[in-house]
Amino acid sequence: MMNKKTDVLVIGAGLSGMMAAARAAQSGKKVTLLTKGMGTLSLTSGCIDLWGYEVDNPKQPCGSPFAQIQKVVEQNPSHPYAKVYDVLKESLTFFQGICDKDGLTYRDNGGENWLLPTAVGTLRPTYLAPTSMAVKDLNKVKQIVVAGFDELKDFYPEVLVTNLKKSKLLRPDCELTVAHLKSGWKKLYATSLAHRLEQPEGQREVIRQLKPLIKPGAIVLFPPALGERRDIDVAGLISKGLGCPVYEVTNLPPALPGQRLQDLFLKYLKNQGVTVILSSTVTGAQVAGNRCSHVTAEGAGKTFTISAQTYILATGSFVGGGFDSKPGQIEETIFGLPINTGDGKWASGEFLSLKGHPFNRFGIDVNDRLQPVDGQSKVILENVLVTGANLAGSEFSIEKCGNGVALASGFKAGKLAGEVSR
Amino acid sequence: MATEKVQVVVVGGGATGTGILRDLAMRGISALLVEQGDLAHGTSSRFHGLLHSGGRYAVKDQEAAKECLEENMILRRIASDCVEPTGGLFAALPEDDPAYAEKWVKACAESGIKTEELNIKELLKKYPVLSPRITKAYSTPDAAVDGFRLLWSNVNSARRYGAKMVTYHKLSAVYRANGAITGVELTNTLNGEITSVECQMVINAAGAWAGEVAAMAGLEIHMIKDKGTLLAFNHRLTNQVVNRLRPPGDADIFVPHGTITLLGTTSIAVEDPNSTKPSEIEVENMLNIGRETMPNIDNYRIIRAFAGVRPLYQANKGAGGRAVTRNFALIDHEQKDGLKGLVSIVGGKFTTYRLMAEKTVDLAAKKLGNNTPCRTAEEPLTQPVTSEMLERGKKVFGVPGYKKAAERLGDAYGKVVEKAEQDPSMRRMFCECELVSASEIDYVAKDGDSKTLSDIRRKTRMGMGTCQGIFCSYRTLGALGNNPQFTVGHREFITEFLQNRWRGIRPVLWGQQLRETQLSTGIFCSLFGMERMNDE
């Protein structure tokens, strides 16, 4: 059996895993990132949410997310932000630096959350958005043109317009216009549309059809499919052709903004000398005392072991595949770490409510150094660090904190792993 | 206040009520069917979809067994597109009393139910999912039936004969004068509007709600409400209905429907006919019993649990659950209570709904002085879709969507195909699990009976598949974006849609199901913020 050695082994290629790998590599460590799939970034908006609503008034979108997070940290020491608040701002700067270097700029809104339109016409609070999604001054816009494609299944301009019209944020006289573009293709998927729009003739076709509808002071909203490649600024090119700003909105997966971020990070990691092993699964861990000595993995028909000084568990929750469940039983699939299931109730009676669901809070309890701990706060495995959705105590879907927790915990785990002496 | 006039008002849009409506209409009696929710709102869409061969009742009640067999054969004939003639099998395990099997074989023979002993080795080869511990197995003529479609076929047929049907109308009063029914008052449950209907007769076919309807006329019927929970597996586990060869009990029937299999049921007494919430304990108990017949059942994903309330009737209070007869009772309230013009039809089984309707309408017709004989056993409910139309459907919807749509739409298939031929954008498949096209959604949305987005969901089966409705719920909104009736209340629709699914998913929330549920929260809350939509 082949044996690989590395300083830091990161398991999982979601946002927290890639941040951890990036930060550990910066410390000069030999880093290996192993992943089963392509992470869950392509299922996300591609923006970075830190915290969405006021802690004391959970229907009210908050201005600065930091003030709210500070409150959370003070009130709830078991929230993952309480473990990583010390590095939150640093991790954001680190993240923005990586993205900037690639040319995919992530913008903040002067310290306040953005409120950005979605495909169903809601406005979602988020902290950082790629330029192609960062709609500026929505409250001053005189016309919003929503561009759909008849052949594209999962984007309906009428749905967006019907609901966005109700927003009090818009000028009362803001005109909402539905544009049905024809691609001439029989079927369109987000990715095929993205490829088509990377071509000059694709852009020309869209501009030709949209131009007659554009009035002064307009913006155009597109499905999140303005190109897959990051070296062609599709939004910018269409914007130039139309003479007005052009944006992508958040939509169902597959959405390209999340995928672009994934591609960017993987490229960055490779450039930093990180060994990336794709399509491989960790099948077991060898533990001696309270340390992991190596893990066994399978990929491309081969079984191999990897030994590292530090293991970073960034396998995600249920969606990511880090946790598995049977009736009445939940397990962390690699180390068998205990999962905090609160009072044992798994789900709420109402599917959609401000309460969210207990299963989203399920996760591994950690100390301030992100080491897994048991019910008596005793470290279970001292060279295993836990990040992102593997952490217990947050409801990402309601609190809108998943990306922030992933960034900061990944960053912190990478930093801590970098400090381990050889 | 609007006023209408018919000879008979039928209360209850389940199998029995729609069967009665059709029978009345075919005999030339003017009738209006009133349903408080959507059609099949009650038990007729909340059962295992088994068309009994009679085998299950043969030992205990040969009369009931014979009725089942006869009706089974009639429905295969008149509703061929609603019945899948899967055949059934009865299998015994070592712990099942061998004496029962002997009695059963004899009773089936006496009732005319054809059984054939099967070679166990061959059976296990054919269905490795079955337990190798099976000691004896027999084939029977059981079948699977699509209750929802059968009901709509009845209504469509009745309408062709001039009958009327309204959904989302609740009976709010029964008018009587001089010891006779004179009419009813209906309340529209969507907008509160009140209508009064003059009639000579009311037929109470309200199933689990029959007691409530009788109470409105000042009478009492004691219904026993018996909840049965079912599990839907995301696999066709066998091609035949599988029954346990022992006295009827919980979780002893598996029924294949298309690509899924239903396992049922439980039997729990409830007070409220609306008690259709499956519990986690029921699920656990059923799996424990189901595992005896199919030991590896846990390897198959459960897509949802659901429950219905059996409306059982016992003239004398006392018995409960499976001890209560599954036979039906026709109550002539003129004779029993001295109220002219009210008839109640209670108890019974889905399989014998047509016979129940026939007996009820025989009585009603006699009272109304109508001598026309019943023809519902002879005349098919729908005309089968022609092979020429199927070919045209194949061209626009592709394989296998064209067939599924034809099965769902029946007589309306032609119109849906034509629309898609004219407008290519109508050929798009909106629901990939159930293969529902834009054209079908558009047709159903405009059929006049679809009042809410959920009605469209039920008729098209949109979002009933395995994807948890993430994509198709949004697509339904999109597909109807230009239809002003459905451009309001997006949040309510999505919330109701997801909540309905959630009721079924929550008791089976583990494994892949939990994984997808977490993804759903990510999409609907994290991406779309629907938990706070329109809150600002």
Side-chain angles (χ1 to χ4, degrees), chain A residues 21 33 58 90 95 154 183 207 250 258 262 275 299 307 363 377 391 398:
Chain A
L33 182 137
E90 206 186 331
F95 170 85
D154 286 324
S183 73
I207 292 166
T250 303
Q262 174 94 29
T275 306
S307 52
S377 306
L391 296 168
I398 301 299

Side-chain angles (χ1 to χ4, degrees), chain B residues 157-323:
Chain B
S157 166
R159 280 176 167 170
R160 286 193 290 270
Y161 282 100
K164 291 178 194 167
M165 190 273 290
V166 289
T167 50
Y168 295 103
H169 279 73
K170 227 178 155 116
L171 192 68
S172 42
V174 173
Y175 307 133
R176 40 190 292 182
N178 307 322
I181 297 280
T182 58
V184 294
E185 181 195 271
L186 306 178
T187 305
N188 182 324
T189 59
L190 299 175
N191 59 21
E193 265 174 37
I194 288 178
T195 319
S196 72
V197 184
E198 270 180 50
C199 65
Q200 292 159 260
M201 183 176 284
V202 170
I203 298 178
N204 173 10
W209 288 264
E212 277 81 347
V213 170
M216 235 170 261
L219 306 179
E220 196 186 332
I221 299 180
H222 181 63
M223 295 302 298
I224 297 173
K225 287 150 230 161
D226 189 52
K227 183 175 81 159
T229 291
L230 297 114
L231 297 177
F233 288 87
N234 185 23
H235 294 268
R236 191 174 172 95
L237 298 170
T238 58
N239 286 324
Q240 281 162 275
V241 177
V242 178
N243 296 268
R244 186 82 172 264
L245 184 45
R246 67 174 184 191
D250 285 358
D252 54 2
I253 305 177
F254 291 84
V255 186
H257 289 273
T259 56
I260 68 163
T261 303
L262 299 182
L263 166 61
T265 57
T266 57
S267 171
I268 292 172
V270 292
E271 279 301 310
D272 180 357
N274 296 305
S275 307
T276 52
K277 192 177 168 216
S279 76
E280 281 159 55
I281 291 172
E282 284 176 280
V283 171
E284 206 181 305
N285 291 343
M286 268 210 284
L287 284 174
N288 285 339
I289 303 171
R291 231 174 261 130
E292 296 171 7
T293 314
M294 299 193 187
N296 296 321
I297 198 87
D298 298 295
N299 298 346
Y300 298 91
R301 179 175 163 205
I302 301 172
I303 39 181
R304 63 180 162 270
F306 61 101
V309 176
R310 295 182 192 90
L312 305 178
Y313 176 71
Q314 194 83 351
N316 312 307
K317 294 183 186 183
R322 293 200 198 276

Side-chain angles (χ1 to χ4, degrees), chain A residues 53 58 122 124 150 152-154 156 162-163 168 317-319 325 346-349 351 360 397-398 400, chain B residues 428-430 432 474-475 478 487 490 499 502 506 509 511 515 518 521 525-526 528 531-533 536:
Chain A
Y53 294 83
T122 47
R124 64 187 301 278
D150 280 351
L152 184 71
K153 228 187 285 196
D154 286 324
Y156 299 96
T162 298
N163 297 306
K168 293 190 188 91
S317 177
F318 301 102
V319 172
S325 61
W346 286 25
S348 302
F351 187 72
N360 277 338
S397 77
I398 301 299
K400 326 292 178 192
Chain B
R428 281 187 290 175
M429 286 295 161
F430 274 65
E432 273 139 15
Y474 171 58
R475 286 177 193 161
T487 52
H490 285 177
Q499 190 61 27
W502 181 232
R506 198 178 159 203
L509 191 68
R515 206 174 165 186
Q518 186 170 54
T521 65
C525 302
S526 206
F528 284 165
E531 83 284 4
R532 293 172 168 98
M533 190 176 188
E536 55 176 302

